[in-house]
Amino acid sequence: PFCGRVLDATTSCGTIFFAQLLAAYAPSSVVTSPAVASLLRLAAPLAALAVELLVPILLLCWRKLGLALALLFHLLVVLTPPPNNAGGFSVCAAQYLFFFAPDATAAVLSEVAKGDTTARALALATGIAFSLGRRVGTHPFFFDTAPCAYFVQLVILARTVYKMPMFTATTPTTTAPPPAASVSAMRVTL
């Protein structure tokens, strides 16, 4: 069954990604710990599945938290080193996250266009993020552009999440109805 394979520590992408993240970034004492290995084997498949189920639910019910969790999830995917990194997937997914906060995204882009203090801080954060992405994306035989691209998106999306109200309506914005004259004119022609 599908769920059995997803929750199996030997085949779950969660186990593979978390193990690679630990191997790349954690101290060796953590990496070689039998307790950490046991915890990874038990928790990683469940954690990955829980996040993948929670993100869409939160995007519907509590958009700000859903966006924050999606950004964290995709940050971990981008930081996963080769051979199993899937940073391109995160870059593609992040571009769609802007659509969950169109008003806040427009406000952030307006700040950037004005060039005020916030825009300068965003430019600095973007430069730092790009530098970090370059460092993460440099490998012995190739350069992975996904961390750079994701980190630039992350700066704008993180500011977008910050600007969002805590609770937002989950119904999409609709256009205003036509003026009354148009409605009566439509009735006459029908």
Side-chain angles (χ1 to χ4, degrees):
F2 175 73
C3 288
R5 285 179 280 158
V6 169
L7 296 176
D8 181 357
T10 60
T11 58
S12 169
C13 64
T15 307
I16 294 166
F17 282 120
F18 280 119
Q20 279 195 272
L21 285 166
L22 285 173
Y25 304 111
S28 61
S29 60
V30 172
V31 174
T32 59
S33 166
V36 171
S38 267
L39 182 62
L40 182 68
R41 187 174 60 256
L42 293 172
L46 288 171
L49 183 61
V51 169
E52 289 185 17
L53 292 173
L54 269 175
V55 166
I57 291 169
L58 289 173
L59 285 172
L60 287 172
C61 302
W62 195 1
R63 196 160 286 168
K64 187 171 188 165
L65 187 57
L67 285 170
L69 184 59
L71 289 172
L72 176 63
F73 173 78
H74 286 292
L75 176 64
L76 293 175
V77 172
V78 163
L79 290 176
T80 302
N84 294 311
N85 61 332
F89 164 68
S90 291
V91 171
C92 290
Q95 72 185 350
Y96 294 107
L97 294 176
F98 289 103
F99 293 107
F100 286 96
D103 295 338
T105 300
V108 170
L109 294 177
S110 177
E111 289 175 353
V112 172
K114 289 178 187 172
D116 62 6
T117 305
T118 304
R120 288 191 291 276
L122 279 172
L124 177 63
T126 302
I128 291 168
F130 188 83
S131 296
L132 288 172
R134 188 167 169 241
R135 184 178 173 117
V136 169
T138 302
H139 305 290
F141 302 109
F142 69 96
F143 177 71
D144 184 3
T145 58
C148 293
Y150 181 76
F151 287 172
V152 169
Q153 290 175 317
L154 177 64
V155 169
I156 295 169
L157 282 164
R159 177 71 179 155
T160 297
V161 170
Y162 175 78
K163 290 190 78 66
M164 289 175 68
M166 186 56 73
F167 296 98
T168 56
T170 58
T171 56
T173 307
T174 58
T175 57
S182 299
V183 172
S184 60
M186 288 175 17
R187 286 187 195 138
V188 170
T189 57
L190 293 175

